[in-house]
Amino acid sequence: MNGMATAEIGEQGIDVTDEDMAVLCDQRTAAYGFLSRMYRKELTRDMLDELHNLRYRVRTGNDDVDTGHRLLATYLSGLWENSITELAADYMRVFYGHGYNGHAAAYPFESVYTSEKRLLMQSARDEVLALYRAEGLDKQKSWKEGEDHIALELEFMEVLTQREADALRDSDADGALHLARTQLNFLEDHLLSWTPLMTAEMRKFAKTGFYQALAFLTDGFLQNDRDLLEDMLFD
């Protein structure tokens, strides 16, 4: 899958222009948007058909992404007439289980993994809501889940990376730097503090190769993006 984990800054000694960096941000924006959509709700037939028509790289330099690509390509090669129903059932099984007790599913909320009693709507939700609002963002009224749902946290990163691309194209170096720092802080303080726990549970509960693949792709991409941001900010 192009752009999922293959974005690179460029080799040492080669000048990288603002446009090069903006294109890189465009790729990151697309990857965050893809992951956010996968977690937001069950797949539609159109989305499944689109994924089926893509090509998936065998080697990207990240073992988790490579495993995710292999699992995804294998699952998509065996689609059948009831695949949408199968995936919808697996989505509910993986993320909501058979009743909430804190351990029955890979609940897609940061609070579950960062609160002592694995409860919803805890301090993590308040923290990310404050960060969203600091950037002028709030959830849509149609969104009924908590603000610390993984789909919204990934969408926040999608917005920030798109804004960074725009800042780079406007030659706004200070704005781009602020956005890159905000992204790295959000990755380290939030997404990477809990998603490895969630994806481990996804691998335990998922019955389809699709959601197994999504777990690996999420881990691999977030690892790569943290490394990329560190290179951008500190090299």
Side-chain angles (χ1 to χ4, degrees), residues 36-51:
S36 177
R37 173 61 186 85
M38 294 302 98
Y39 285 106
R40 182 178 293 273
K41 59 184 179 181
E42 300 95 325
L43 281 176
T44 64
R45 170 59 66 180
D46 287 345
M47 177 63 74
L48 189 59
D49 290 343
E50 181 179 343
L51 292 172

Side-chain angles (χ1 to χ4, degrees), residues 10-234:
E11 297 181 5
Q12 189 172 4
I14 297 177
D15 290 335
V16 179
T17 67
D18 284 350
E19 180 58 26
D20 293 333
M21 297 300 295
V23 170
L24 179 60
C25 287
D26 291 339
Q27 294 170 355
R28 296 172 58 230
T29 298
Y32 276 113
F34 167 79
L35 290 175
S36 177
R37 173 61 186 85
M38 294 302 98
Y39 285 106
R40 182 178 293 273
K41 59 184 179 181
E42 300 95 325
L43 281 176
T44 64
R45 170 59 66 180
D46 287 345
M47 177 63 74
L48 189 59
D49 290 343
E50 181 179 343
L51 292 172
H52 182 260
N53 291 330
L54 294 176
R55 298 181 65 182
Y56 299 91
R57 293 182 60 184
V58 176
R59 293 182 179 85
T60 66
N62 183 288
D63 290 343
D64 284 336
V65 174
D66 293 348
T67 300
H69 281 179
R70 176 176 54 79
L71 288 169
L72 186 56
T74 299
Y75 179 79
L76 293 171
S77 69
L79 294 180
W80 58 303
E81 60 184 8
N82 288 327
S83 290
I84 284 292
T85 301
E86 176 184 65
L87 287 169
D90 208 31
Y91 180 91
M92 294 304 298
R93 178 189 301 110
V94 171
F95 297 116
Y96 295 97
H98 300 290
Y100 183 75
N101 66 14
H103 297 276
Y107 295 101
F109 302 94
E110 182 177 347
S111 292
V112 173
Y113 299 92
T114 57
S115 63
E116 183 177 352
K117 296 183 178 180
R118 290 176 63 95
L119 299 175
L120 295 171
M121 306 296 283
Q122 301 301 298
S123 61
R125 176 262 182 187
D126 299 335
E127 291 171 9
V128 297
L129 178 57
L131 291 170
Y132 299 162
R133 289 178 173 170
E135 297 296 329
L137 300 169
D138 210 337
K139 71 174 185 179
Q140 296 179 352
K141 292 182 179 180
S142 59
W143 180 258
K144 304 302 182 184
E145 305 285 4
E147 287 84 352
D148 60 339
H149 191 287
I150 187 172
L152 259 63
E153 293 197 6
L154 292 165
E155 186 177 358
F156 181 56
M157 290 291 291
E158 178 188 7
V159 171
L160 294 181
T161 55
Q162 183 58 66
R163 288 181 176 179
E164 184 183 356
D166 293 341
L168 288 163
R169 291 188 169 107
D170 290 339
S171 299
D172 180 6
D174 289 341
L177 181 60
H178 162 76
L179 288 159
R181 287 172 173 165
T182 302
Q183 292 163 46
L184 182 58
N185 289 339
F186 191 77
L187 270 174
E188 293 182 337
D189 294 344
H190 291 282
L191 277 166
L192 286 170
S193 74
W194 70 279
T195 54
L197 301 173
M198 183 199 70
T199 53
E201 294 196 334
M202 288 174 65
R203 287 187 278 270
K204 179 171 68 173
F205 291 109
K207 301 298 184 184
T208 64
F210 184 89
Y211 286 106
Q212 293 279 343
L214 182 59
F216 281 104
L217 290 172
T218 301
D219 285 342
F221 174 71
L222 294 180
Q223 292 161 7
N224 275 3
D225 207 49
R226 176 192 57 198
D227 293 344
L228 177 64
L229 284 165
E230 288 179 343
D231 287 344
M232 291 167 61
L233 289 168
F234 302 121

